[in-house]
Amino acid sequence: MLKVMACALPGVMVQCYFFGWGAIIQVLLSIAVAMATEAAVLSLRKRPVWPTLSDNSAALTGLLVGVAIPALAPWWVSVIGVVFAILVVKHLYGGLGNNIFNPAMAAYVMLLISFPLQMTTWVAPAGAALNDVSLLASLQIIFQGVSPAEVLAYRAGFDGMSMATPLDAIKTSLSTGLTINEALEKPTFENGFGIGWVWINVAYLFGGLCMLKLKLIRWHISGAVIFSLFVCASIGYLLSPDTHTGPLLHLFSGATMIAAFFIATDPVTAATSVKGRLLFGALIGVLVYSIRSFGGYPDAFAFAILLANLCAPFIDYYVKPRAYGHRASR
């Protein structure tokens, strides 16, 4: 788990560069709350605390929740999300190895549905922000709260409007009758990609490749996610380039790379056989494209992964390799 967290550090650092100190504050707060919640639940269950805490699975869950939360979201958003992930999604199912859903993604979906304003208002990235947010200002906004006007000033981009993610900006533009090319002319984009988001995805891609090199994960799920999303996006773009974004924008926007390498590959909630992992990853890619293109949410990885988690036992049941000498019943 520590090696996985180390491989995620390049992405976290680039995210901190583009979205300010708030990004790293959310990550550190989420990790601290995750470890404290894990220790408290283990004590209540009369289980040994330190041997379980030392596996760092709670810390990794905290990190994944932290990077999914907007940099200047109130502190209680992180706390509620992490407590839900550890207490409800993980330990109510029996703890690590027994949960059927990915805890970080279940927490993200719960927060997104419960607190849509806090979860969809992002800081303007570096290069597009009207105001830089200092460390002290980030701490004050997250833990003390300031006036809505001041928060809006920090979140505003150079168009004077509160910033949205690139995928959200595209979905909003399409709903108003604009074409993809017209949507890409908005200040949120630069050279056909969302400002900052492309480099964040490149950094998580680098971390994912490091995990493959260290043999922390296998390539099947990540490769299937990326390949199926690329194929679906290419077909959609070829059929209707005015209403469907190209495959590269899908791959390097939103949570694509961190989800493909750091979340979908969770060994507890994913399929286990080689064919099962390929089908599991391909299903996630298809669901992501479908929800992004036709659903109500701009980035769909959390929903796609949770739906795939539900299908993982079914996939394993039908594609598991048969034992030598197995004879099918008639």
Side-chain angles (χ1 to χ4, degrees), residues 78-161:
S78 297
V79 172
I80 292 173
V82 172
V83 171
F84 178 81
I86 300 297
L87 176 62
V88 177
V89 186
K90 182 178 179 180
H91 280 284
L92 284 187
Y93 284 91
L96 183 65
N98 297 302
N99 51 289
I100 61 174
F101 295 108
N102 184 283
M105 291 299 93
Y108 176 81
V109 168
M110 185 275 294
L111 291 173
L112 185 62
I113 295 173
S114 304
F115 312 107
L117 179 61
Q118 289 80 4
M119 289 296 293
T120 56
T121 309
W122 287 80
V123 180
L130 286 175
N131 303 286
D132 293 328
V133 190
S134 66
L135 175 59
L136 179 59
S138 298
L139 289 169
Q140 289 176 335
I141 293 172
I142 293 172
F143 291 102
Q144 295 181 0
V146 295
S147 66
E150 188 173 351
V151 176
L152 180 61
Y154 283 123
R155 286 171 170 163
F158 43 47
D159 59 355
M161 300 297 292

Side-chain angles (χ1 to χ4, degrees), residues 1 34 37-43 45 47-48 51-53 55-58 61 83-104 266-269:
M1 296 294 181
T37 305
E38 180 98 327
V41 175
L42 289 170
S43 297
R45 296 180 64 193
R47 298 288 182 87
T52 303
L53 279 182
D55 68 13
N56 295 299
S57 61
T61 297
V83 171
F84 178 81
I86 300 297
L87 176 62
V88 177
V89 186
K90 182 178 179 180
H91 280 284
L92 284 187
Y93 284 91
L96 183 65
N98 297 302
N99 51 289
I100 61 174
F101 295 108
N102 184 283
D266 175 19
V268 175
T269 57

Side-chain angles (χ1 to χ4, degrees), residues 19 79 110 196 225 261 296:
F19 294 109
V79 172
M110 185 275 294
V225 170
F261 287 98

